[in-house]
Amino acid sequence: MPTDSLTRFLAALDPEHREAIGTRPRQEQERLAAAWERELEADDELDTLDELSPPAAEAEAARRVLDRETG
């Protein structure tokens, strides 16, 4: 996976989550970034938001991925 996806995923997180995810093993960070990429690609609602505000769509996808992780 390109590091760019991980960098973009971390940038989409709020500062508190960015710090928490940053302490996890690299492999887990990359797994979350891949889930984030899939979320962005698969959700039509995010496509619409992405047209209006790409950073907002990326932040929403990151929130969804973390919500699934924490149950």
Side-chain angles (χ1 to χ4, degrees), residues 23-65:
T23 64
R24 294 184 182 186
R26 176 85 177 184
Q27 186 175 358
E28 187 173 344
Q29 292 178 24
E30 290 178 351
R31 182 183 59 78
L32 290 170
W36 174 76
E37 286 282 354
R38 287 190 302 274
E39 184 74 23
L40 282 171
E41 291 172 6
D43 192 303
D44 291 339
E45 184 180 303
L46 289 176
D47 285 345
T48 303
L49 182 58
D50 187 49
E51 291 176 18
L52 300 172
S53 174
E58 291 182 353
E60 175 61 18
R63 185 191 63 75
R64 291 178 185 183
V65 167

